Amino acid sequence: MIQSQLLSATCVAMLMTCQSQSMTLEQLEALQTDLQSQLSNVSSQLQALKFKQHVSLESCVPACKTDGQRIIVIIEAWAFHGSTALEQLFMSSKNVSTLCSANVWQCEGEQVPGVKLDGFRIVNLEQSINIWASIWDVRKPLNVIKTFGIRGEYVRDMYKLLKTPSKPVKGFAKNPKFIHVFMWRPWCLWKLSSNYQSYYEEHVKHHNRTYALRRREIYEVEVLESIVREISWVKENGGATILINYAHVIWWPKRTAQRLSAAFPCASEGFTPNFVPTLGEDVFPGNDWKAKNSLQEFGNQKHSQDYDFNAKEMKCSIKPSTLSHDEKTRLRVAIKFLVKEEKSCGHVPPDFLEY
């Protein structure tokens, strides 16, 4: 199909060259429009094939029904690793309810009044879930919690409590169904984070560039390994997971939206990367929402090659320069696991949708 379209587009181009001397300006403009349209279609289909190499939409097992069943979606990503972008994609669906109306920083569950913390751990988790449930719109099937970073104890506490709550959660029939949506970021894309750029420059100022780069590279290895551990733990304990690549969210947003739509049919109209949150409706002043544009616009503004990343092949175009042989091996092992996990389009147990 794509080959025939390329051939057709080539023929149009040749025809324009051969007939340009005898054609009117209007005719040439019409041919040019036709050629651009065909090339755009070819480009879109090539991108779809590339995405299919990384994620098989056909293998997506629905994580929710379309009969009014409510699902809790827990966004699990390390701090400053793109969780805001992923939540913005979720909130583009009219059937998703977030905690943004609580008017707390970045709509994070831990920031909601009444939630008590001991370090990075919620100490009144059961009470907190009911606080969140009172904020969600009960008419919407997907209820999203954005956390402030993947922490082993936090992920496991949340899983164990939601798996067997001692008391019913407000607005949910029986035990609430929940799914962990993990997100990972290729190691070289730390430069996309203004926070990590600041950390890097601070280390350069007080030490040197080698030291600063070393801190960033080994940190990214440890982050990816932590995501591998928590995904593995949830799956081993019978939980539902989906893994998203931050690079896909930024540079292949339409395909990522399609993937979420396949995984969450209860979103009905699906998700769109062209969505921009409306202040007072989707986000509120106290959220201090970082994203000012749509995901599509953000990706168009950020050229992947400027961040040492190949967006077509979906991999870093450079190699880490400060890691030891063993550390590089750890990085490769983690990436191999994450790429494989993402291609499977998630893990949803057979009985997940049963009450």
Side-chain angles (χ1 to χ4, degrees):
M1 180 65 176
I2 292 180
Q3 289 179 333
S4 63
Q5 287 182 325
L6 276 172
L7 181 60
S8 175
T10 303
C11 290
V12 172
M14 293 175 64
L15 184 64
M16 288 178 64
T17 302
C18 296
Q19 296 184 351
S20 60
Q21 299 299 323
S22 59
M23 296 177 70
T24 65
L25 178 60
E26 290 76 12
Q27 290 173 322
L28 283 171
E29 288 178 340
L31 278 174
Q32 182 184 37
T33 300
D34 183 47
L35 176 61
Q36 290 174 335
S37 176
Q38 292 192 51
L39 288 176
S40 176
N41 190 30
V42 169
S43 176
S44 178
Q45 291 195 46
L46 283 173
Q47 187 189 60
L49 286 175
K50 278 283 188 182
F51 186 80
K52 194 172 182 179
Q53 293 176 3
H54 297 276
V55 179
S56 174
L57 292 179
E58 291 80 2
S59 68
C60 286
V61 178
C64 61
K65 297 179 179 179
T66 56
D67 60 359
Q69 181 189 34
R70 293 179 67 194
I71 301 290
I72 296 178
V73 177
I74 308 169
I75 295 179
E76 305 277 14
W78 270 88
F80 311 124
H81 275 67
S83 58
T84 298
L86 182 56
E87 183 166 27
Q88 181 163 312
L89 185 55
F90 265 103
M91 70 170 64
S92 70
S93 169
K94 295 180 180 179
N95 284 312
V96 169
S97 178
T98 69
L99 297 175
C100 293
S101 62
N103 203 33
V104 295
W105 189 79
Q106 296 302 310
C107 309
E108 292 182 350
E110 297 88 349
Q111 306 289 337
V112 175
V115 177
K116 299 177 181 178
L117 297 174
D118 180 10
F120 291 106
R121 196 170 189 173
I122 297 177
V123 296
N124 62 334
L125 190 51
E126 187 163 2
Q127 180 185 354
S128 298
I129 291 174
N130 278 285
I131 292 173
W132 299 330
S134 68
I135 298 169
W136 287 319
D137 187 335
V138 297
R139 299 167 296 177
K140 299 184 179 183
L142 291 178
N143 306 266
V144 174
I145 306 172
K146 175 177 175 288
T147 67
F148 57 14
I150 295 176
R151 308 284 173 180
E153 291 180 342
Y154 178 91
V155 173
R156 300 175 193 203
D157 285 350
M158 182 78 78
Y159 177 85
K160 292 174 182 176
L161 179 60
L162 286 173
K163 189 72 174 177
T164 54
S166 60
K167 298 178 182 178
V169 177
K170 295 176 183 178
F172 289 84
K174 299 185 179 180
N175 293 356
K177 297 294 182 178
F178 63 100
I179 183 166
H180 293 268
V181 179
F182 290 92
M183 187 163 70
W184 72 289
R185 186 181 68 188
W187 70 270
C188 59
L189 292 182
W190 64 266
K191 299 170 189 174
L192 273 171
S193 169
S194 58
N195 289 281
Y196 287 140
Q197 283 280 16
S198 298
Y199 297 156
Y200 174 79
E201 294 301 333
E202 193 68 18
H203 287 140
V204 170
K205 179 179 178 181
H206 294 287
H207 300 278
N208 54 60
R209 293 199 176 276
T210 300
Y211 174 88
L213 189 58
R214 165 69 182 169
R215 287 288 299 267
R216 291 270 51 84
E217 290 184 349
I218 193 61
Y219 179 78
E220 294 301 322
V221 173
E222 293 168 351
V223 165
L224 296 182
E225 288 180 326
S226 74
I227 298 173
V228 170
R229 283 195 300 272
E230 297 317 313
I231 290 176
S232 299
W233 187 92
V234 173
K235 289 177 64 177
E236 288 167 3
N237 285 272
T241 65
I242 291 179
L243 179 64
I244 303 289
N245 186 335
Y246 180 53
H248 283 165
V249 175
I250 300 303
W251 289 300
W252 289 358
K254 291 182 180 178
R255 300 296 167 189
T256 303
Q258 289 176 354
R259 181 189 177 189
L260 288 182
S261 297
F264 297 103
C266 54
S268 185
E269 299 175 7
F271 306 87
T272 172
N274 295 314
F275 170 78
V276 178
T278 300
L279 186 64
E281 181 178 335
D282 305 301
V283 294
F284 300 84
N287 301 151
D288 193 22
W289 196 249
K290 290 182 285 189
K292 306 302 179 185
N293 301 316
S294 71
L295 292 179
Q296 188 74 53
E297 291 171 326
F298 182 76
N300 291 339
Q301 294 169 2
K302 302 292 182 180
H303 302 293
S304 62
Q305 61 270 25
D306 294 340
Y307 301 92
D308 301 313
F309 190 77
N310 184 329
K312 292 182 179 180
E313 299 298 328
M314 278 292 133
K315 61 183 182 181
C316 296
S317 56
I318 60 171
K319 297 184 182 299
S321 60
T322 69
L323 299 183
S324 68
H325 175 76
D326 288 346
E327 290 165 345
K328 289 178 182 178
T329 299
R330 288 167 53 193
L331 177 62
R332 284 194 299 270
V333 169
I335 292 174
K336 183 178 180 179
F337 174 95
L338 295 169
V339 169
K340 182 179 179 180
E341 189 71 21
E342 185 174 29
K343 187 171 179 61
S344 69
C345 200
H347 172 76
V348 179
D351 62 345
F352 182 73
L353 298 181
E354 301 299 325
Y355 271 124

